[in-house]
Amino acid sequence: MLGREGQRKLGASRALMVGCGALGTHTAELLLRAGVGNLTLVDRDLVAETDLHRVALFTPADVGRPKAEAAADALRRIAPPAAIAPVVAHLDPRLALDLAPKADVVLDGLDNLEARYLINDACVKHGIPWVYTAVLATYGVTMPIVPGRGPCLRCLFPDPPPPGAIPTCAEAGILGPVPAALAAVQVTAAIQILTRSPDLAPGRLVHLDLWTGLAETTSVERAPDCPCCGKRRFEFLAQPSRTSVLCGDSVQVLPRTHGDLDLDGLAARLAALGKARVQGRVLVVSIEGAQLTVFPDGRALVKGVSDPDRAQTLYDRYIAR
Ligand SMILES: [Zn+2]
């Protein structure tokens, strides 16, 4: 199908994998086995015991290690000739702008929409193709984005939803095989991008539900007034820091968008994950060793965390998708 020329192109290509959780590790393994020659892996988190049931690459011996490094070690054993570079860091505008322009394709292993908008801005700004992919519960969606040849993520979702408006994968859970299935679809799109296949369909949104067997394909159109690919306003690259370190082990995180939060609804969804209760006008959640106090305007105080990037990661993972 790819031929010798296609394999040569894959071997010479550079892929950037953002996020090394379930989706990211399956995607990275498939990329390497397909013959991609250079792979950079970005993730700031550590491997947790609870990750092991749905990831590729990690074993119990990796628990506590940085995900990017553990994934890189496993991938070097799978594909010794490949150049693999782990980056253990929070994905912020500076890092996105540093890494995305060096890649031929960027793949999505992220767990929040905020970081996806950041990647979308960096890729559209520099004309780098990327594959948007998200998984939740029993289903996933994926769409190749080729700047100049189809829609971008903000053509599909113009603005981030208000905090707490949609369930996160941390709340709804993910059926084990779903990330593996969506990884296969997104790597196929990446192979088409890297080999310049005429069959690549920018803007083709695939929705796949493994539990019901539903598979749907829709064609997303480019939005002429898209703030990102239309007006070329890269708001997520330009946004100021949303965090401030307060005295003691505490960080304040500001919401990305304004609007009142449904604290009771959020509490009900988070209850399965940790202790969550509404106290007067605030929601208090204990999760991942930290305590989040969430205010009705979406602002949160994260206690037990002194690293602002870690606080923002917790916020984006549990409060805003
Ligand atoms: Zn757009």
Side-chain angles (χ1 to χ4, degrees):
M1 172 156 278
L2 299 176
R4 194 174 297 225
E5 180 55 17
Q7 283 299 332
R8 191 198 61 75
K9 283 179 184 158
L10 290 182
S13 61
R14 297 159 301 174
L16 171 62
M17 182 74 247
V18 284
C20 297
L23 185 58
T25 51
H26 282 286
T27 300
E29 179 169 352
L30 289 172
L31 281 171
L32 267 282
R33 290 192 189 276
V36 168
N38 301 269
L39 180 64
T40 299
L41 303 151
V42 181
D43 200 302
R44 53 152 288 129
D45 274 345
L46 307 178
V47 179
E49 191 99 40
T50 48
D51 296 326
L52 294 176
H53 69 288
R54 61 173 184 242
V55 291
L57 305 176
F58 302 148
T59 68
D62 293 315
V63 170
R65 297 187 64 203
K67 287 180 178 176
E69 286 178 4
D73 285 348
L75 291 166
R76 288 188 188 111
R77 289 193 291 273
I78 290 170
I84 298 164
V87 178
V88 182
H90 178 72
L91 184 73
D92 60 13
R94 188 195 53 76
L95 189 63
L97 280 173
D98 179 34
L99 296 180
K102 296 174 186 159
D104 300 308
V105 67
V106 179
L107 290 113
D108 189 340
L110 296 165
D111 66 358
N112 68 86
L113 199 48
E114 176 87 19
R116 290 190 176 101
Y117 280 120
L118 187 57
I119 285 296
N120 188 63
D121 270 7
C123 286
V124 171
K125 181 172 187 188
H126 291 279
I128 307 297
W130 77 284
V131 190
Y132 156 65
T133 304
V135 290
L136 185 70
T138 63
Y139 70 94
V141 291
T142 179
M143 180 176 88
I145 293 169
V146 183
R149 283 190 54 198
C152 79
L153 185 66
R154 290 195 79 182
C155 295
L156 181 61
F157 304 122
D159 289 300
I166 51 176
T168 67
C169 53
E171 295 154 23
I174 297 172
L175 184 70
V178 172
L182 270 294
V185 183
Q186 85 160 333
V187 169
T188 304
I191 290 171
Q192 291 180 327
I193 288 168
L194 294 172
T195 59
R196 296 169 194 81
S197 166
D199 299 325
L200 170 68
R204 182 171 67 194
L205 182 75
V206 175
H207 174 118
L208 191 61
D209 189 317
L210 294 191
W211 199 254
T212 62
L214 176 81
E216 260 179 348
T217 301
T218 47
S219 193
V220 177
E221 296 299 321
R222 203 167 164 186
D225 57 346
C226 172
C228 178
C229 72
K231 298 178 179 156
R232 295 190 70 79
R233 283 204 319 259
F234 304 112
E235 295 164 357
F236 291 83
L237 291 174
Q239 68 179 320
S241 171
R242 288 164 45 212
T243 57
S244 42
V245 178
L246 308 177
C247 55
D249 249 7
S250 182
V251 177
Q252 175 174 266
V253 184
L254 300 177
R256 163 76 196 155
T257 53
H258 297 283
D260 279 350
L261 214 58
D262 172 13
L263 291 180
D264 290 315
L266 189 59
R269 290 214 310 268
L270 288 171
L273 295 166
K275 274 194 346 217
R277 60 189 190 280
V278 177
Q279 286 182 330
R281 294 273 291 145
V282 299
L283 165 67
V284 182
V285 191
S286 299
I287 213 153
E288 290 195 32
Q291 189 189 68
L292 280 72
T293 304
V294 188
F295 296 83
D297 62 0
R299 186 169 51 89
L301 292 177
V302 183
K303 279 186 203 149
V305 171
S306 51
D307 173 3
D309 292 340
R310 167 88 183 138
Q312 189 179 326
T313 298
L314 288 172
Y315 184 97
D316 290 340
R317 182 175 294 158
Y318 294 106
I319 310 301
R321 188 174 181 212

